[in-house]
Amino acid sequence: MAKRFDVKIEDDRLLVYNLHTEPLYIKEITISYEVEVITPTGEKGIKKVKQTIPIEKKVVKVLDVPIVSREISEVKVIYIAGNEKAEEIHHPRV
């Protein structure tokens, strides 16, 4: 199946582009962040944090979503295609 979306990080926003001419109904977006943390022993580590954002609207061209960090490792877009729920996973570019 061809990709229906393209995802890009721009400043403090995540831009989700609809690659098709017909509007697509997006149910929700799940953003996975990888943040650097200091462990109790003083070592550096990576913690994965997920944020799910309900959207529940049709997107014609682009959806602009505010983000808390640019350290995004993955974006899952859950949408309706025909009468069925579908999803796409993206690894956004800056």
Side-chain angles (χ1 to χ4, degrees), residues 4 8 11 14 24 28 31-32 41-42 47 55 57 67-68 70 88-89 93:
R4 293 183 176 259
K8 184 177 179 184
D11 299 324
L14 178 73
L24 290 170
E28 69 183 35
I31 302 172
S32 298
T41 61
K47 181 175 183 174
I55 304 296
K57 70 178 187 179
I67 54 176
V68 296
R70 295 171 55 93
E88 277 187 23
I89 295 176
R93 63 190 192 284

Side-chain angles (χ1 to χ4, degrees), residues 34-88:
E34 287 187 359
V35 293
E36 190 174 290
V37 296
I38 304 296
T39 66
T41 61
E43 297 175 10
K44 288 184 180 180
I46 300 291
K47 181 175 183 174
K48 293 186 179 187
V49 180
K50 288 188 179 183
Q51 175 187 23
T52 299
I53 304 167
I55 304 296
E56 301 292 344
K57 70 178 187 179
K58 285 186 180 180
V59 175
V60 176
K61 293 184 180 178
V62 64
L63 177 67
D64 188 337
V65 180
I67 54 176
V68 296
S69 169
R70 295 171 55 93
E71 303 302 319
I72 296 174
S73 61
E74 182 178 278
V75 175
K76 184 189 318 183
V77 180
I78 299 174
Y79 63 98
I80 302 296
N83 292 327
E84 300 205 12
K85 191 171 161 181
E87 67 180 51
E88 277 187 23

Side-chain angles (χ1 to χ4, degrees), residues 20 22 26 39 59:
H20 292 266
E22 74 276 358
I26 298 180
T39 66
V59 175

